[in-house]
Amino acid sequence: MRVAITGSTGLIGSALTHSLLTDGHQVVRLVRDRSARPAGDSSEAAGWDPVAGRVQPGALDTVDAVVHLAGAGVGDKRWSDAYKAEIRRSRALGTRTIARACAEASTPPRVLVSASATGYYGDTGGRTIEESAPPGDDFLAAVCVDWEAAADTAREAGIRVVHPRTGLVVSAKGGAFGRLFPLFRLGLGGRLGSGDQYWPFISLTDHIAALRFAIDDETLTGPVNFTAPEPLTNREITRAMGRALHRPTIASVPAFALRAALGEFATGITGSCRAVPAALHKAGFTFRHPTIDMALHSVLHTS
């Protein structure tokens, strides 16, 4: 296959690129800086500008699939009004640009896998959430609604569009878990907020496998929860990390302290989402790391 990827230097994008190249596929990185290709990487680079709405002419004419992962990091900065606008704008404009380029390609790709997040559902407490659940009413939910709708141009052109609604990716290399591992290794790990909130998680290995499954499986379309089969509470994940790292987990950070330190972003940490991968199960996807213990074991033995 020939696959174009945005966000190819991020945690998920770099792992997906490596996986595809290792298996002999061709990768076209859509980048704003064409010198960004890592040394020794056999991928190609093509330019794009999500804000200006431009993709290098011909870049998508010969690709079989497009995986769109780019967007301003939700947890990268404190949520000022300006940064919230940047989060929303980067996702909507970038997705609209990619969707239009897919639709206008001389030979359109057969699938667009365009990222989303379990933040779509908002805080749902302890209810089990499948892909048919309605959106929440907070900022992240509104971002996800706009994010997914921005791919409509590709859908209207007859391109199969898949929206991975991703939970927390278990990896020591980045994301929320990437920040937690150093603290737990120092014995400073503990529950966040009440600890009773559900955290939908997925190992990095399973996330990459699910992305490739979404590219290949023509029955998958629309939203797909990229989460392990059994979401756990923050308290349960905290205990599992303590077991895996042989460290105490007696520390805790109360919700008010999280709000003081992180502002509105704290709602994404203390909110609860018990999302399950109903669409992946129906399509026959098999998880290599269905439990948090297996996901953590995979990190500790590959890092």
Side-chain angles (χ1 to χ4, degrees):
M1 289 187 303
R2 187 171 170 82
V3 182
I5 304 175
T6 74
S8 61
T9 59
L11 172 67
I12 295 169
S14 58
L16 176 62
T17 298
H18 176 75
S19 174
L20 289 167
L21 292 174
T22 298
D23 287 347
H25 301 293
Q26 298 177 352
V27 172
V28 179
R29 296 176 182 265
L30 294 178
V31 295
R32 280 178 277 190
D33 177 5
R34 295 191 60 182
S35 66
R37 182 171 63 84
D41 189 324
S42 63
S43 64
E44 303 170 31
W48 83 306
D49 186 331
V51 176
R54 293 193 300 266
V55 174
Q56 182 177 316
L60 304 185
D61 286 351
T62 60
V63 302
D64 300 291
V66 176
V67 181
H68 173 47
L69 304 170
V74 170
D76 289 357
K77 299 179 182 179
R78 189 181 178 91
W79 284 5
S80 63
D81 288 343
Y83 194 62
K84 286 170 66 176
E86 172 61 19
I87 290 172
R88 199 164 196 161
R89 182 170 56 249
S90 70
R91 282 160 173 72
L93 291 180
T95 304
R96 196 172 297 126
T97 296
I98 289 298
R100 185 173 63 249
C102 287
E104 293 176 351
S106 60
T107 303
R110 57 184 175 83
V111 60
L112 167 62
V113 180
S114 185
S116 186
T118 54
Y120 177 94
Y121 305 111
D123 187 340
T124 57
R127 292 184 291 116
T128 298
I129 299 299
E130 297 185 356
E131 288 86 353
S132 59
D137 58 5
D138 59 15
F139 169 70
L140 283 180
V143 168
C144 290
V145 169
D146 290 349
W147 197 2
E148 294 181 12
D152 283 348
T153 303
R155 266 185 284 270
E156 292 162 1
I159 298 168
R160 180 169 63 91
V161 177
V162 180
H163 293 294
R165 290 179 179 165
T166 300
L168 298 173
V169 178
V170 183
S171 171
K173 298 178 181 178
F177 275 91
R179 298 182 182 185
L180 291 176
F181 269 103
L183 295 175
F184 276 80
R185 284 190 169 108
L186 291 171
L188 301 176
R191 62 179 173 80
L192 302 176
S194 70
D196 296 326
Q197 68 275 28
Y198 279 89
W199 274 16
F201 68 89
I202 185 170
S203 76
L204 180 59
T205 298
D206 280 336
H207 195 290
I208 301 308
L211 283 175
R212 295 193 54 176
F213 187 82
I215 291 171
D216 294 336
D217 192 307
E218 296 187 359
T219 68
L220 275 182
T221 187
V224 180
N225 288 343
F226 275 34
T227 60
E230 297 182 14
L232 300 175
T233 64
N234 169 258
R235 188 189 305 274
E236 292 168 322
I237 289 174
T238 295
R239 290 171 179 163
M241 291 190 71
R243 288 194 304 271
L245 294 167
H246 307 290
R247 296 290 189 273
T249 57
I250 57 175
S252 64
V253 183
F256 75 84
L258 287 170
R259 286 193 296 270
L262 303 176
E264 190 179 350
F265 176 56
T267 60
I269 296 173
T270 59
S272 181
C273 183
R274 195 176 185 177
V276 296
L280 283 176
H281 272 318
K282 183 179 179 181
F285 179 77
T286 300
F287 286 85
R288 287 187 60 185
H289 308 128
T291 69
I292 189 62
D293 290 319
M294 295 173 74
L296 291 171
H297 183 271
S298 74
V299 170
L300 297 176
H301 288 79
T302 58
S303 298

